Amino acid sequence: MSKLQPARGTRDIYGEDARRFQKVIDTFTAVGTSYGFESISTPIFEFTEVFKRPLGETSDVVSKEMYTFEDRGGEEVTLRPELTASICRSFISNGMMQNLPCRFMSWGPAFRYERPQKGRYRQFHQIDAELIGPAEPEADVDVIAMAYRILVTLGFADRVKLNLNTLGDSESREAYRQELVTYFTAYKDQLSEDSQRRLETNPLRILDSKDEADQKLVVDAPRFSDSLNEASVDFFNRVQAGLTAAGVPFDVNERLVRGLDYYCHTAFEFITESLGAQGTVLAGGRYDGLIAQLGGQPTAGIGWAGGIERLAMMLDETPHAPRPVVMVPMGEAATVKAISVAEKLRDAGFTVTSDRSGNMKKRMNRANKAHASFGIIIGDNELENHVAMVKNLDEGTQEEVAFDQIADFIKRANS
Ligand code: ATP
Ligand code: MG
């Protein structure tokens, strides 16, 4: 190993990246709170079954992308490839059935063994929202409107598009499945190997195939809308009417099927053209079957996940770190005094750092480099007179200010 590097597909997040990251998380948390969502945090690994069962053995995630291993005790565990299944597991484990509806928001790392490229990593991070309990279409509207508000707050109103589709109820999906099997069976030998397998296991997934030959056949495949029963059509109409009422623009895209097995009714994706190949920034849908599949009481649910890396990349500007006030004590006694003055300034809401080494010139250079707003210089003379020399680093001016007046002085100067 010539140079110590992070493992393939992982990266360190610091400096500007970290500030962009934090902006996404802060916006997510603030908007989520305004919709009544509360934080939940689940372990980053689970028994493999938690993901295998709901996502489906044949999904790309389970068949190719999971980090699964046996731990030292012989348990088979998996680093979470997504948050939804973990949160639903937690809902069941903790008997939250009594507290419906549950509005959960969560963020953190997820892991998928993929070919790393820009916007695609092996350890990436998601913001995630889940609304568990409500079965009515207006609940779908709430969580989509929340996602939209996050994207708008981040400044992406003109750069994201919402694609919306319905996967219907189970009766409609079964009817459509039959249609697809009939259609694709006639062209079986033209399908990719993967899709020939999908024809047996989950023909809906063929619509999602990235293979060229498959895509040609998909163009003329039967349309889902022709297989929807009345209840499913009604559900979809109410979602659309609600989105319009919420002021959320959308396009119906009949080809949108989500990659995971547990979805029904509403499926949606916010896509962008500003990220090249990795165009999906946030996606989700309704998963009424998921909690029962995990072994819980049948419970409706709807949610979404967004990729923090992709959202952070889209930000127009890197947020600034707050400008610090820098304590510059000269001498031992002043250094102790500066500690208490700094705490008082933090009480008053300022960001305060201390620079205790080197001569005055070096310290002032560092303060300017840190984009500090003020330097608070305390030497023996100042100590004697109970004042500090407060230096306005933008103006280049300085003034003696009594220790207990510094906060007010800076506030006035800033206003
Ligand atoms: P894609 O089609 O890009 O593979 P996906 O359908 O696998 O996305 P989801 O499972 O819906 O993605 O995950 C939700 C969001 O998480 C995606 O929209 C994307 O922003 C982000 N995401 C998924 N996989 C990765 C990854 N490997 N690296 C970075 N972000 C990711
Ligand atoms: Mg993927």
Side-chain angles (χ1 to χ4, degrees):
M1 205 186 300
S2 57
K3 240 205 235 158
L4 199 55
Q5 294 291 332
R8 199 165 139 73
T10 70
R11 42 177 224 135
D12 304 311
I13 301 158
Y14 61 95
E16 295 204 347
D17 281 343
R19 294 208 294 277
R20 287 170 166 264
F21 224 75
Q22 196 59 45
K23 167 96 183 177
V24 173
I25 293 161
D26 290 347
T27 305
F28 165 67
T29 308
V31 173
T33 302
S34 78
Y35 283 77
F37 281 60
E38 288 200 70
S39 292
I40 185 170
S41 180
T42 62
I44 64 162
F45 64 91
E46 298 272 355
F47 293 126
T48 298
E49 276 305 297
V50 170
F51 306 111
K52 220 185 216 172
R53 243 193 279 172
L55 272 58
E57 299 264 2
T58 58
S59 67
D60 278 356
V61 171
V62 172
S63 62
K64 300 180 197 152
E65 298 174 358
M66 287 206 314
Y67 276 91
T68 298
F69 59 97
E70 201 177 284
D71 71 10
R72 287 166 196 273
E75 306 275 24
E76 201 185 70
V77 295
T78 293
L79 300 183
R80 64 181 182 197
E82 54 135 52
L83 277 60
T84 306
S86 303
I87 291 171
C88 290
R89 192 277 306 146
S90 172
F91 171 84
I92 299 167
S93 310
N94 294 290
M96 297 193 229
M97 216 38 217
Q98 309 310 320
N99 309 322
L100 294 177
C102 292
R103 297 182 187 86
F104 290 130
M105 55 180 167
S106 192
W107 70 270
F111 306 84
R112 296 183 191 180
Y113 191 80
E114 304 203 63
R115 195 167 68 78
Q117 47 197 296
K118 190 172 170 244
R120 190 175 294 284
Y121 311 96
R122 290 181 175 177
Q123 173 171 341
F124 61 104
H125 298 76
Q126 287 187 333
I127 51 174
D128 182 284
E130 311 294 344
L131 173 47
I132 301 176
E136 74 277 5
E138 289 71 22
D140 307 39
V141 174
D142 285 341
V143 300
I144 296 172
M146 171 180 159
Y148 182 67
R149 187 177 288 265
I150 291 167
L151 298 172
V152 169
T153 307
L154 290 171
F156 307 153
D158 300 334
R159 281 181 286 159
V160 292
K161 266 180 51 177
L162 169 58
N163 278 339
L164 183 72
N165 195 19
T166 177
L167 306 177
D169 59 11
S170 39
E171 185 187 79
S172 305
R173 265 199 319 287
E174 189 44 43
Y176 187 47
R177 191 192 143 91
Q178 298 293 336
E179 294 286 328
L180 287 180
V181 169
T182 307
Y183 172 80
F184 283 118
T185 302
Y187 301 101
K188 188 165 177 187
D189 46 351
Q190 294 175 40
L191 283 172
S192 71
E193 231 171 84
D194 270 345
S195 285
Q196 291 189 14
R197 217 180 1 256
R198 292 181 183 118
L199 190 54
E200 310 288 326
T201 53
N202 191 345
L204 226 85
R205 285 251 171 71
I206 300 175
L207 302 178
D208 215 9
S209 169
K210 294 185 171 97
D211 182 273
E212 255 180 57
D214 290 350
Q215 282 180 349
K216 276 195 196 126
L217 293 173
V218 164
V219 175
D220 292 318
R223 310 196 79 86
F224 209 148
S225 52
D226 295 329
S227 295
L228 290 175
N229 61 19
E230 207 181 308
S232 298
V233 170
D234 178 58
F235 193 101
F236 195 38
N237 285 340
R238 281 170 61 185
V239 171
Q240 294 180 65
L243 287 173
T244 303
V248 179
F250 61 89
D251 294 316
V252 173
N253 176 356
E254 271 206 55
R255 292 294 174 219
L256 172 65
V257 292
R258 301 273 304 132
L260 307 179
D261 265 346
Y262 51 64
Y263 286 103
C264 63
H265 290 298
T266 312
F268 63 94
E269 280 183 353
F270 284 92
I271 55 170
T272 181
E273 282 172 6
S274 43
L275 290 179
Q278 269 51 258
T280 311
V281 289
L282 187 153
R286 179 165 276 283
Y287 51 77
D288 293 350
L290 171 56
I291 288 171
Q293 204 171 30
L294 277 171
Q297 300 277 333
T299 311
I302 167 123
W304 52 256
I308 299 182
E309 282 82 357
R310 294 184 195 178
L311 293 164
M313 267 196 303
M314 280 179 71
L315 286 174
D316 270 329
E317 283 173 18
T318 301
H320 293 296
R323 296 184 70 183
V325 170
V326 182
M327 304 304 300
V328 186
M330 309 301 285
E332 221 170 277
T335 300
V336 176
K337 180 68 191 174
I339 291 174
S340 69
V341 173
E343 289 301 334
K344 289 261 155 50
L345 288 173
R346 294 186 185 109
D347 286 344
F350 293 104
T351 295
V352 186
T353 61
S354 298
D355 189 341
R356 305 183 180 104
S357 68
N359 61 31
M360 180 67 76
K361 190 167 166 224
K362 273 198 181 135
R363 296 202 218 178
M364 282 304 140
N365 282 343
R366 278 195 294 255
N368 282 317
K369 219 171 138 193
H371 205 52
S373 54
F374 286 86
I376 313 289
I377 300 157
I378 306 176
D380 290 339
N381 276 344
E382 283 80 14
L383 263 187
E384 221 163 86
N385 300 326
H386 302 282
V387 295
M389 187 62 81
V390 177
K391 197 165 176 154
N392 184 325
L393 296 171
D394 290 333
E395 314 268 328
T397 54
Q398 57 181 30
E399 202 171 312
E400 280 187 349
V401 181
F403 287 136
D404 58 2
Q405 299 293 313
I406 299 175
D408 284 343
F409 177 84
I410 296 178
K411 272 186 192 151
R412 248 180 294 142
N414 280 342
S415 64

